[in-house]
Amino acid sequence: LAKTTQPISMDSYEGQEVNITCSHNNIATNDYITWYQQFPSQGPRFIIQGYKTKVTNEVASLFIPADRKSSTLSLPRVSLSDTAVYYCLVVNSNSGYALNFGKGTSLLVTP
Amino acid sequence: GAVVSQHPSWVICKSGTSVKIECRSLDFQATTMFWYRQFPKQSLMLMATSNEGSKATYEQGVEKDKFLINHASLTLSTLTVTSAHPEDSSFYICSASDGLAGMRGSEQFFGPGTRLTVL
């Protein structure tokens, strides 16, 4: 499983854009980059997934450069409710594979 | 969307007793279910992978005789913590996969977790 590295914590004010970068130097050809969000005492929630270039949904954008060795999760105009831990994972394209959660990035949004 | 439930959401038990936690996929058939454990301020740690109708595969360091996993149907997996001790107190989370590959990759659907406290 490809190892991921992301900042332990980040702080932001409400309304700002937050970019969390994750490095995954050993990503394999059939691996996807997936981000999960976890609030305290809850299970993780899927945010976004991508393979290359840019992916956008109603919650976030994911930027992946051509070499795919890193990725950036972009949260536009964060609110207090976006305070959570964000996990970057590299997952195999075949289903049924366990997820390898790293330490995640603890995002704190303040007024 | 796919929904996974867990029961109970929290449980307190005495040391030496056994506790069963249920994980259900409510609107899809889960060919594979995973059990994770999360201690305070730490990340999720995979305990075991279970496929319906077969024995679970445990991660290194996880005692299979202590953490009994049963995946008897495509919608239900159970984790039984036998002879629980205070060090087993943790947040237990299950996830389920519907076995469909493709552009979604291996997206998994997580349950809300079960908080176990062993006195």
Side-chain angles (χ1 to χ4, degrees):
Chain A
L1 295 170
K3 181 181 177 181
T4 60
T5 303
Q6 51 184 123
I8 295 295
S9 64
M10 294 183 69
D11 295 332
S12 177
Y13 292 109
E14 269 190 299
Q16 290 188 326
E17 177 183 83
V18 172
N19 295 309
I20 306 175
T21 298
C22 176
S23 64
H24 26 79
N25 292 317
N26 297 324
I27 191 169
T29 303
N30 57 354
D31 286 341
Y32 282 74
I33 298 145
T34 309
W35 287 79
Y36 282 82
Q37 174 193 54
Q38 186 182 27
F39 297 112
S41 295
Q42 294 187 28
R45 183 177 74 102
F46 173 87
I47 301 176
I48 197 166
Q49 182 180 71
Y51 186 81
K52 61 180 179 180
T53 63
K54 177 183 175 182
V55 178
T56 297
N57 61 22
E58 63 278 5
V59 177
S61 293
L62 180 59
F63 298 92
I64 306 168
D67 66 6
R68 304 198 329 123
K69 294 184 182 297
S70 66
S71 60
T72 299
L73 174 73
S74 181
L75 304 172
R77 296 180 299 282
V78 294
S79 63
L80 299 179
S81 61
D82 292 318
T83 293
V85 178
Y86 293 83
Y87 294 97
C88 163
L89 292 89
V90 171
V91 300
N92 193 281
S93 59
N94 298 312
S95 65
Y97 278 72
L99 299 180
N100 182 22
F101 283 84
K103 297 183 185 301
T105 297
S106 179
L107 173 65
L108 175 63
V109 181
T110 55
Chain B
V3 179
V4 175
S5 70
Q6 281 184 239
H7 179 80
S9 56
W10 59 270
V11 57
I12 301 173
C13 69
K14 292 182 178 180
S15 184
T17 61
S18 295
V19 175
K20 178 185 284 188
I21 302 171
E22 293 186 348
C23 176
R24 294 181 184 272
S25 56
L26 300 184
D27 51 4
F28 68 100
Q29 293 187 326
T31 55
T32 306
M33 285 186 169
F34 305 89
W35 286 95
Y36 297 83
R37 179 168 54 180
Q38 185 174 34
F39 292 107
K41 303 293 184 182
Q42 295 188 24
S43 184
L44 286 78
M45 295 188 306
L46 178 69
M47 298 176 68
T49 302
S50 73
N51 291 295
E52 185 265 337
S54 58
K55 290 184 178 180
T57 301
Y58 290 81
E59 294 298 299
Q60 190 174 8
V62 178
E63 300 175 56
K64 62 179 181 180
D65 294 329
K66 180 171 182 64
F67 299 98
L68 303 179
I69 292 172
N70 184 285
H71 191 169
S73 77
L74 286 172
T75 60
L76 173 65
S77 176
T78 59
L79 167 67
T80 301
V81 183
T82 62
S83 186
H85 287 94
E87 57 265 30
D88 298 323
S89 297
S90 187
F91 192 53
Y92 292 86
I93 308 170
C94 73
S95 71
S97 171
D98 59 9
L100 299 178
M103 285 301 294
R104 290 189 296 111
S106 58
E107 180 182 345
Q108 292 181 20
F109 307 100
F110 284 83
T114 296
R115 175 75 59 191
L116 169 64
T117 302
V118 185
L119 302 177

